[in-house]
Amino acid sequence: MSSAQAAKEHQGTTTEEGYERGLGSRQVQMIAIGGAIGVGLFLGAGANIAKAGPSLILMYALAGVIIFFIMRALGELLLYRPVSGSFAEYSREFLGPFFGYFTGWTYWLMWVVTGMAELTAAAIYINYWFPQIPQWVTALVFLIVLFAANLISVKLFGEIEFWFSMVKVTAIIGMIVIGLGVLTLGFSQAGDTAAVSNLWAFDGFFPKGIGSSLMTLQGVMFAYLAVELVGVTAGESENPEKTLPKAINTLPWRIALFYVGALTVILCVVKWTEFAGGASPFVKAFAEIGIPAGAGIVNFVVLTAALSSCNSGMYSTGRMLRTLADNGEAPRVFQRLSSTRTPALGIATSVVFMGIGVVLNYVVPEKAFGYVTSVATAAGIWTWLMILISHVLYRRAVDAGRLPASAFPAPGGAKLSWVAIVFLLFVTGLIAYDADSRICLFVMAGWALALAVGWFVLKRRNPEVAERREPEFEKV
């Protein structure tokens, strides 16, 4: 490494990384924004509006505050030691090797399963315009194109993610501007009925009761999955000590604008009683306003959201497999980097599993496939809990003088992390209470059992994997 490169490396980067720092500030910002806008908002919000009415706005705001606590906790850890595969590494350092192993494989599973679902969804969206093309052909083409992009370089991944995110952001801002125009100027077909009073005029702000509103929190949290992806980019950001804090600190206004703002405008323009599950609230709003080709526009936006998610899944799974291999918890062959400094074999293996999902979609009934994808929510909650618990233990070590303080301390120290931990446990309780969603907890229990057996076999073959090791820091 040249002295110029060394100067750019952050003090906390481990010696084993070897990645190209190819993600600029512009790309990291958009990856962070794109991670906070997914199919959960574009499609999933419709069913939740039907369950909670206008109070869903408050649920998104409440969950958004907790997500900010989680991301500030992650930010403090990232500036203490920015590594690719961050949460697995922090779990390993502060909770022990088993938790690092469990978190790494669980996050890998989350993205592989999400990739399966998103590829299928993308093929369905293309079917809207070209019904004559077989669905499996479209899914396969997308799989190959995104796989190739991830192999070429991290810069190309970042550029694709930048433009995918730009489409989503433009669509939401456009919806907000048009909606505000309808409310203030009264134009369009919805002008006569659009009013801020729609937020309380139909059985109040909590039309189904507070209990029904709280039950939507599990769906709301699913919509926020992938905000932590910015942590996986830490090992490949050009200037992590500047780009990561900026990306995390802008999260509140992104949530306020894209989730709370967009839903508020939509529910002012269209009465909440008009929404139902299975339909996008954005499609409904565009239809009510009377915008030509509104359904086609939203279909294109949702297509980019699905492809963005799949693209991110390929990126993160390859890095997580390499982190696991570095620690002897996955085959050593996954440690290798290609000539373009990407974990090509790890990405390829993950893509094979995502491809199986495309095939499975024609064999397994739709409801059963939905059960499999529900594991993503449970896996996401586990990841967030590991970030928070690692942060609490890190702050204890800093207070005791055992570890250096981070350059990006979380406000309130460990107190807000405790608040977020209690909230996530509450949401897990809601999932267990709901007969339709508790299946994901059974799936996670089976996954945990499989990983426990795998850990037992690993320890017998190589006892060193269970030994706690001090983190390695690069001297610059």
Side-chain angles (χ1 to χ4, degrees):
M1 181 184 290
S2 71
S3 59
Q5 284 176 303
K8 288 180 74 175
E9 291 291 331
H10 187 272
Q11 193 173 0
T13 305
T14 64
T15 57
E16 296 176 313
E17 289 288 287
Y19 291 117
E20 175 195 2
R21 290 199 177 276
L23 294 175
S25 176
R26 169 179 65 94
Q27 293 165 328
V28 172
Q29 292 295 320
M30 269 301 179
I31 288 169
I33 292 172
I37 310 169
V39 179
L41 173 64
F42 287 116
L43 288 179
N48 286 326
I49 290 171
K51 290 177 187 173
S55 65
L56 184 65
I57 297 167
L58 185 61
M59 296 302 108
Y60 269 104
L62 174 62
V65 170
I66 299 300
I67 290 294
F68 181 61
F69 294 168
I70 295 168
M71 291 304 293
R72 280 305 301 254
L74 177 59
E76 182 165 357
L77 292 168
L78 287 171
L79 269 291
Y80 148 69
R81 193 162 73 94
V83 286
S84 194
S86 56
F87 2 95
E89 277 298 307
Y90 303 136
S91 301
R92 183 174 292 108
E93 180 179 348
F94 296 107
L95 288 144
F98 173 76
F99 286 93
Y101 156 83
F102 194 101
T103 302
W105 277 112
T106 300
Y107 197 66
W108 177 83
L109 174 74
M110 183 191 104
W111 275 112
V112 165
V113 169
T114 302
M116 291 179 188
E118 301 292 11
L119 273 174
T120 306
I124 292 169
Y125 301 143
I126 286 291
N127 203 45
Y128 172 84
W129 291 300
F130 305 105
Q132 69 276 16
I133 300 177
Q135 203 169 294
W136 69 268
V137 172
T138 311
L140 187 62
V141 168
F142 283 141
L143 188 71
I144 292 169
V145 170
L146 293 178
F147 174 50
N150 270 272
L151 287 188
I152 292 170
S153 74
V154 69
K155 285 183 179 178
L156 183 58
F157 157 79
E159 202 60 35
I160 290 173
E161 201 55 34
F162 175 85
W163 289 107
F164 279 162
S165 295
M166 186 66 80
V167 169
K168 293 187 282 188
V169 168
T170 304
I172 293 179
I173 292 175
M175 177 69 242
I176 291 172
V177 170
I178 293 168
L180 290 174
V182 172
L183 285 169
T184 54
L185 303 176
F187 65 82
S188 90
Q189 298 170 13
D192 296 336
T193 56
V196 176
S197 60
N198 284 343
L199 295 178
W200 60 82
F202 301 92
D203 298 325
F205 191 69
F206 291 92
K208 301 287 185 75
I210 293 177
S212 183
S213 299
L214 290 173
M215 288 303 293
T216 63
L217 279 173
Q218 47 188 306
V220 169
M221 295 308 285
F222 175 76
Y224 283 125
L225 281 184
V227 291
E228 75 293 323
L229 182 67
V230 70
V232 184
T233 70
E236 293 167 277
S237 302
E238 284 177 356
N239 196 352
E241 61 268 30
K242 288 187 179 178
T243 56
L244 296 177
K246 187 178 178 184
I248 291 169
N249 278 336
T250 53
L251 188 66
W253 73 257
R254 293 200 303 269
I255 289 171
L257 178 66
F258 299 132
Y259 281 91
V260 178
L263 281 175
T264 301
V265 169
I266 285 173
L267 289 172
C268 288
V269 171
V270 185
K271 298 189 291 283
W272 75 267
T273 52
E274 304 272 328
F275 294 96
S280 168
F282 284 80
V283 172
K284 182 71 178 173
F286 272 90
E288 287 285 322
I289 293 169
I291 295 175
I297 293 169
V298 174
N299 196 66
F300 174 71
V301 173
V302 178
L303 170 65
T304 62
L307 292 177
S308 168
S309 183
C310 189
N311 190 41
S312 298
M314 289 183 189
Y315 172 85
S316 57
T317 50
R319 273 72 184 168
M320 202 55 79
L321 279 180
R322 185 166 184 250
T323 298
L324 289 163
D326 280 342
N327 290 280
E329 297 157 357
R332 291 285 182 189
V333 70
F334 289 128
Q335 283 182 294
R336 296 177 189 164
L337 289 177
S338 68
S339 58
T340 55
R341 316 308 294 165
T342 60
L345 189 61
I347 296 171
T349 303
S350 302
V351 165
V352 168
F353 279 94
M354 289 180 189
I356 291 171
V358 177
V359 178
L360 275 178
N361 195 43
Y362 298 98
V363 181
V364 182
E366 190 176 331
K367 193 168 184 181
F369 193 76
Y371 287 155
V372 175
T373 57
S374 70
V375 78
T377 309
I381 288 175
W382 172 270
T383 301
W384 291 337
L385 281 171
M386 289 300 100
I387 291 169
L388 292 165
I389 295 170
S390 297
H391 177 248
V392 169
L393 296 175
Y394 166 70
R395 287 304 293 248
R396 281 185 191 168
V398 171
D399 292 343
R402 295 193 304 272
L403 287 176
S406 171
F408 187 47
K415 296 185 187 70
L416 296 183
S417 288
W418 277 114
V419 172
I421 289 168
V422 171
F423 180 85
L424 291 178
L425 293 177
F426 173 68
V427 173
T428 305
L430 293 177
I431 292 172
Y433 180 75
D434 187 357
D436 289 336
S437 61
R438 71 170 69 114
I439 184 71
C440 73
L441 298 181
F442 294 122
V443 173
M444 278 301 292
W447 174 250
L449 182 63
L451 285 182
V453 171
W455 181 251
F456 178 75
V457 172
L458 268 176
K459 276 207 306 183
R460 291 196 64 177
R461 287 185 178 175
N462 181 14
E464 288 183 11
V465 297
E467 292 176 8
R468 212 159 184 150
R469 298 189 300 277
E470 290 297 315
E472 292 185 37
F473 294 94
E474 188 168 307
K475 294 179 181 178
V476 293

